[in-house]
Amino acid sequence: TGYPTRWEDQTKYRGGWVVDGQRQKSLRLRLQGKWGTLTNIFYNPYLPTLDDYFEPWTYDYQNLITAPLADEQPTARAISMVTGKYMDTIEAGPNWDDDLGGSQVYANNDPNFDGASDEEMRQ
């Protein structure tokens, strides 16, 4: 549901704007004001983490180039760009859910549809 995971979920990342409760006519950032920026300048608990962005990886292309002739095709295993070690599973990444863009699976996990009625979801 986006990149980073649930990036449109404004309650998780405190994104967007809210109407100021005292004046009702002015907008303020949901995340923080001037003083909040100063206190969170080196650490902000609401920003996405590496787990939200997924671990970047590349492939062992050298294995494709140097593999000896065989009946089976050689494969290029995924290698973490953070640790440099082989990765056994890749759970998600950028554009991971693009193929689900119009599907019910994607819509059920989209924070923009929280609170939508069944009729609205069918449309």
Side-chain angles (χ1 to χ4, degrees):
T1 53
Y3 182 76
T5 302
R6 295 185 62 89
W7 71 275
E8 292 181 357
D9 188 348
Q10 293 187 4
T11 55
K12 179 177 180 178
Y13 294 120
R14 307 261 173 119
W17 299 83
V18 293
V19 176
D20 191 347
Q22 296 169 356
R23 291 174 247 161
Q24 293 293 323
K25 291 187 178 182
S26 63
L27 293 175
R28 66 173 178 79
L29 286 172
R30 181 186 307 265
L31 179 61
Q32 61 202 17
K34 276 190 267 188
W35 299 112
T37 302
L38 283 175
T39 59
N40 291 337
I41 197 165
F42 295 109
Y43 172 72
N44 188 336
Y46 302 109
L47 292 178
T49 64
L50 182 61
D51 290 337
D52 295 321
Y53 280 103
F54 316 113
E55 188 172 352
W57 73 89
T58 187
Y59 294 99
D60 183 6
Y61 294 110
Q62 195 63 29
N63 185 47
L64 296 176
I65 297 167
T66 61
L69 290 176
D71 291 335
E72 297 84 24
Q73 285 243 307
T75 60
R77 291 182 59 195
I79 300 174
S80 167
M81 293 182 75
V82 175
T83 64
K85 297 179 181 178
Y86 285 110
M87 298 173 68
D88 293 326
T89 58
I90 298 173
E91 296 177 10
N95 301 327
W96 192 266
D97 51 10
D98 278 358
D99 290 341
L100 301 175
S103 78
Q104 199 65 27
V105 173
Y106 186 79
N108 287 338
N109 292 309
D110 191 333
N112 291 315
F113 294 127
D114 288 349
S117 70
D118 290 339
E119 178 64 29
E120 292 168 327
M121 290 298 285
R122 280 193 296 273
Q123 294 176 1

